[in-house]
Amino acid sequence: MTERWFPDDMPMPAANAETVGWWEAAADHRLVVQRCTACGRTRHPPGPVCPRCRSSASEWSALSGTGTVYTYAVVRQAFIPSLQDRVPYIVIAVDLDGASGARMVSNLVDVEPEEVSVGMAVEVAWEDMGPELALPRFRPGPRR
């Protein structure tokens, strides 16, 4: 089991036909994005149709798990009672390396809010929520 940053009563995400492949990869601690096999555009979150060429043909493309902070917010008020002792926490949008502009929203962990900056290098850190569910969080990565 990996380190836990958030409490067990956090709302769990739901998979659907377009996202099930992403969740299966995440359970194995693999970060992937959907790539259109017609035009090559990557997208996240996954969807049924490419926004560029409208093709429904896609595949899962593995990523390194690194990226940079595109933007962030420091949350200082808990939205559920069990988060009260976890504030402040940081929500980030990550420009994913190798994903041609695809971004992911997640949490930044293992860092103080005043140390976060736009452009900061980050790497994935998996949080196992159960035997079949892992969520990608990010932590500061090596300086580039």
Side-chain angles (χ1 to χ4, degrees), residues 31-107:
L31 192 61
V32 298
V33 290
Q34 202 173 35
R35 184 177 310 276
C36 176
T37 56
C39 73
R41 181 182 177 133
T42 57
R43 61 186 182 263
H44 187 81
V49 178
C50 175
R52 177 187 292 153
C53 73
R54 309 305 293 168
S55 172
S56 61
S58 66
E59 64 186 6
W60 297 105
S61 181
L63 300 177
S64 66
T66 60
T68 56
V69 174
Y70 175 75
T71 191
Y72 68 96
V74 178
V75 179
R76 298 185 186 278
Q77 182 173 350
F79 71 93
I80 60 174
S82 60
L83 281 175
Q84 189 58 44
D85 66 339
R86 314 274 175 134
V87 292
Y89 60 90
I90 305 159
V91 178
I92 59 173
V94 178
D95 271 327
L96 298 165
D97 291 343
S100 303
R103 293 188 181 113
M104 177 180 292
V105 175
S106 187
N107 298 100

